[in-house]
Amino acid sequence: FVTQDSLDLGGKTFTFNRVFGPDSSQYDVFCEVRPLLNSVTDGYNVCMLAYGQTGAGKTYTMEGTQTNPGIIFRSLDELFNNLHRKEISHSWAVKMSILEIYNEQIRDLLLPPRSTPETIPEIHSSPEGVYVSDLQWRFI
């Protein structure tokens, strides 16, 4: 596993903000992304990405278990606690989408299991940034 902040492979350099070792806890990972939640309450969009090979623990990191929740559940809990503290001066609407890219296929994780989407989500780039079309969005 990688212990440095960059890696040179085949003429390409890959740079990492943070690398977590096998002894890292769910809480350790959450503490690293926690500052992003302040950006949400400041009105910015936020994307959290887990990347790695099959079996590396991406789903566990994002979802966790009931007794040891992952990034998604810890982040939502923290986000709503932050919003509750600011509620006096603002009203809020929060919406989210969740997707998985596996074998170059985009899967909308907010669709019911084994359902077929009406349109296939696609990645697009525009002057405003990168986005994925045709995803389900849910107000939470």
Side-chain angles (χ1 to χ4, degrees):
F1 86 100
V2 179
T3 58
Q4 55 202 32
D5 63 357
S6 67
L7 179 66
D8 292 319
L9 286 175
K12 291 186 178 183
T13 300
F14 298 89
T15 304
F16 311 100
N17 291 2
R18 179 78 156 75
V19 176
F20 294 93
D23 294 334
S24 299
S25 69
Q26 293 284 54
Y27 185 74
D28 294 337
V29 178
F30 173 69
C31 286
E32 187 72 20
V33 300
R34 182 184 242 163
L36 292 174
L37 301 172
N38 292 330
S39 297
V40 173
T41 57
D42 290 339
Y44 293 96
N45 294 328
V46 169
C47 173
M48 295 185 192
L49 171 74
Y51 179 80
Q53 68 189 44
T54 299
K58 300 174 298 295
T59 300
Y60 177 75
T61 298
M62 297 306 280
E63 294 179 6
T65 65
Q66 277 193 325
T67 58
N68 191 17
I71 299 304
I72 293 170
F73 299 104
R74 289 175 191 262
S75 295
L76 290 174
D77 187 48
E78 179 82 6
L79 175 62
F80 285 108
N81 284 334
N82 290 349
L83 292 177
H84 181 70
R85 285 192 290 274
K86 293 185 177 194
E87 190 174 340
I88 296 169
S89 61
H90 295 85
S91 64
W92 302 92
V94 177
K95 67 180 183 174
M96 67 182 289
S97 63
I98 305 175
L99 67 92
E100 173 183 66
I101 301 174
Y102 182 74
N103 286 338
E104 313 229 358
Q105 299 290 315
I106 300 171
R107 192 171 75 135
D108 187 337
L109 297 180
L110 292 180
L111 286 175
R114 293 180 284 290
S115 66
T116 303
E118 292 179 23
T119 56
I120 304 299
E122 294 181 9
I123 298 173
H124 301 277
S125 182
S126 73
E128 292 81 33
V130 176
Y131 67 97
V132 178
S133 64
D134 301 314
L135 284 177
Q136 297 289 310
W137 285 86
R138 297 277 160 67
F139 284 96
I140 53 172

